[in-house]
Amino acid sequence: MGAWDALAGVVLALLGSYVFVAARSFPRMAGQYPGPGLFPQLLGALLVIAGVALVVGSVAGGRARVRRALLGGSRRERLSALLVVAAVIFYIVAVTRLGFAVVSVLILSGLMAALGVRVRWSVLIGVGTTVVLYVLFARLLRVPLPEGILRGLL
């Protein structure tokens, strides 16, 4: 493991912390236990655990190796890592305006295409994954997802 793993671990831990704290503010409904925030809080906690594990694993690999990985690595690897971080930031900034479905399709399809998957498959998998996640969370688990520009259509 290298420095990019440590960076990814920090980003995962921060994202997981944000998800955990944000899910605590989900509205409680009378008579419903465990409530709508339980599943996102569990996911947030798992993200924090995974992030910490990545950081610990990369540090345990030796500091000199981590330093070499930060300064080394191909340009494509550095660009890919930055692209993933940018996608997470884009999601946080854009999801309330554009909505979960639009942002998820853009991020999933865009990341896959940028990382070498054919555009046709990127779009197909991005749309399919978004539909499955939307049905699972919004319809079955009744977790409110931002509708954004598709308000009233979903």
Side-chain angles (χ1 to χ4, degrees):
M1 289 194 207
W4 291 112
D5 291 329
L7 177 63
V10 169
V11 170
L12 277 178
L14 289 174
L15 178 65
S17 300
Y18 173 78
V19 168
F20 186 85
V21 171
R24 291 178 55 112
S25 68
F26 284 5
R28 302 252 189 263
M29 296 180 196
Q32 285 193 344
Y33 180 80
L38 176 67
F39 190 65
Q41 283 181 309
L42 288 174
L43 287 177
L46 288 173
L47 282 173
V48 170
I49 291 168
V52 169
L54 275 173
V55 171
V56 169
S58 69
V59 170
R63 292 178 191 220
R65 192 169 138 197
V66 170
R67 214 168 315 161
R68 275 194 311 271
L70 265 177
L71 300 174
S74 71
R75 184 170 188 244
R76 182 173 174 85
E77 290 172 342
R78 289 192 302 261
L79 184 61
S80 296
L82 289 175
L83 193 59
V84 171
V85 172
V88 170
I89 293 169
F90 173 71
Y91 182 86
I92 292 169
V93 171
V95 72
T96 52
R97 286 190 191 120
L98 298 177
F100 170 80
V102 172
V103 172
S104 294
V105 168
L106 288 174
I107 287 175
L108 290 171
S109 301
L111 280 176
M112 283 188 285
L115 296 174
V117 178
R118 290 185 181 184
V119 174
R120 177 188 301 165
W121 284 108
S122 298
V123 172
L124 185 65
I125 293 169
V127 169
T129 302
T130 299
V131 168
V132 168
L133 289 173
Y134 183 82
V135 168
L136 176 66
F137 285 100
R139 299 296 181 210
L140 297 177
L141 297 174
R142 299 189 188 272
V143 174
L145 296 173
E147 294 178 339
I149 60 176
L150 298 178
R151 187 176 318 279
L153 296 176
L154 298 176

